[in-house]
Amino acid sequence: SMTTLFISDLHLSADRPDITACFLRFMSTEARGIDALYVLGDLFEMWIGDDDDSPFHQQIKSAFRQLTDNGVPCYFIHGNRDFLIGKRFSQETGVELLPEHTVVDLYGTPTLLLHGDTLCTLDEGYQRYRKKVHNRFIQWLFFRLPLRYRQRIGEKMRSDSSQTNRTKSQAIMDVTPGEVVHVMAELGVNQMIHGHTHRPDVHTLSVNGQDARRIVLGDWYKHGSVLICTPQDCQLETRDFQP
Ligand code: LP5
Ligand code: MN
């Protein structure tokens, strides 16, 4: 019905049944019959491999499978928590994995879609770390470990990350304004949609002398968060956990 929905940063986990319930309701109600659903990363709190087939993961995967079977195209861009989502997940769900920077035609407007972590160029520690964990060989080694060990490594990385984040400034944790302009100019787009920073907003800016806009999606920590785009406009909305 001429609607495209964007979500990101749900950080789904078995520990947060409130988020899961809100997401499952979203999938079985307002996501039905739309033109497309885009998930721009951090769908999961963490992902250590497609072989982690817990009942919780099965529940989430079947929600995507039902939607794609109903004819709604679903797309996913990796976040910094779930960059290990792979082909098997895609086959099981019917969700198409897109490259980290993807330009789509959003009702006539070329729009760059990305998670947003690549725009945080002042966070040098993170960018160095990112390069390592995106390395194919390091990932191959990681996947050779039993699931339990990967789980433990993931949990350790999570606690280290929230520890170091406390000492980082807000400017370092946000996108670098110059990088936003640079990336948009390079790809020749006037619109960008991303998540990661958990600062939902619509920013206007100028790229090569043209009006541009950057839409930032919200996280699902206290409520659901969705960007609703129609041929007319895009609107950020929230969804209560307890409707
Ligand atoms: O995630 P969040 O919100 O806490 O902070 C992010 C950045 N942190 C991360 C780390 C993830 O949270 C951990 C996810 C685990 C995934 C599953 C395990 C996969 C293992 C894969 C092995 C192939 O993304 C944080 C940013 C913040 O966003 C804001 O943008 O600042 O960045 C960091 O905390 C990174 C530190 O600054 C640098 C840590 C250096 C550690 C180097 C270890 C390298 C190990 C490589 C080999 C396994
Ligand atoms: Mn993120």
Side-chain angles (χ1 to χ4, degrees):
S1 63
M2 294 300 253
T3 301
T4 298
L5 300 181
F6 297 85
I7 55 175
S8 73
D9 304 282
L10 293 87
H11 299 270
L12 294 173
S13 79
D15 304 336
R16 288 293 304 267
D18 50 349
I19 307 176
T20 304
C22 189
F23 170 70
L24 293 175
R25 193 180 330 112
F26 166 85
M27 292 295 274
S28 61
T29 56
E30 64 181 303
R32 287 290 168 98
I34 59 170
D35 288 338
L37 170 67
Y38 289 89
V39 182
L40 303 188
D42 289 1
L43 172 67
F44 294 100
E45 173 70 2
M46 73 172 186
W47 192 262
I48 52 171
D50 291 359
D51 56 334
D52 185 357
D53 198 29
S54 63
F56 169 70
H57 286 162
Q58 287 174 24
Q59 195 181 19
I60 305 301
K61 285 189 280 193
S62 79
F64 279 107
R65 177 42 80 187
Q66 281 176 34
L67 195 60
T68 56
D69 279 351
N70 263 281
V72 175
C74 292
Y75 304 96
F76 177 77
I77 293 182
H78 289 123
N80 59 298
R81 304 289 192 85
D82 50 16
F83 57 91
L84 293 179
I85 283 181
K87 279 201 194 92
R88 179 171 156 188
F89 177 91
S90 173
Q91 278 156 8
E92 288 173 346
T93 57
V95 172
E96 189 182 329
L97 307 184
L98 300 176
E100 61 184 27
H101 290 181
T102 297
V103 177
V104 298
D105 177 343
L106 186 58
Y107 302 117
T109 305
T111 303
L112 172 60
L113 308 178
L114 67 173
H115 178 56
D117 56 327
T118 52
L119 301 170
C120 301
T121 55
L122 295 176
D123 196 343
E124 290 172 6
Y126 171 68
Q127 296 301 338
R128 269 199 305 275
Y129 154 85
R130 187 182 192 277
K131 212 168 257 169
K132 289 188 188 104
V133 295
H134 279 256
N135 178 289
R136 285 287 171 180
F137 178 64
I138 291 174
Q139 292 186 359
W140 179 81
L141 285 176
F142 184 74
F143 286 139
R144 289 181 59 96
L145 298 170
L147 198 57
R148 268 175 307 117
Y149 293 168
R150 279 181 272 150
Q151 190 86 45
R152 237 180 274 165
I153 292 170
E155 276 158 15
K156 173 83 171 77
M157 286 166 67
R158 283 292 313 118
S159 67
D160 285 0
S161 181
S162 40
Q163 203 65 35
T164 55
N165 284 359
R166 279 189 214 140
T167 66
K168 286 180 190 170
S169 75
Q170 289 300 302
I172 284 176
M173 305 260 284
D174 203 353
V175 301
T176 311
E179 183 66 12
V180 170
V181 175
H182 172 78
V183 171
M184 289 178 91
E186 198 168 57
L187 293 168
V189 295
N190 295 331
Q191 182 161 262
M192 160 191 275
I193 303 174
H194 71 82
H196 183 63
T197 60
H198 304 182
R199 300 176 198 201
D201 209 344
V202 179
H203 302 269
T204 54
L205 64 152
S206 163
V207 176
N208 285 337
Q210 291 186 40
D211 289 339
R213 92 181 156 162
R214 174 171 73 94
I215 304 174
V216 186
L217 306 177
D219 65 80
W220 284 52
Y221 194 68
K222 290 186 181 129
H223 45 69
S225 193
V226 57
L227 177 71
I228 303 172
C229 292
T230 65
Q232 285 74 44
D233 201 22
C234 290
Q235 207 163 326
L236 283 164
E237 289 186 13
T238 59
R239 296 286 176 266
D240 290 342
F241 282 160
Q242 298 291 339

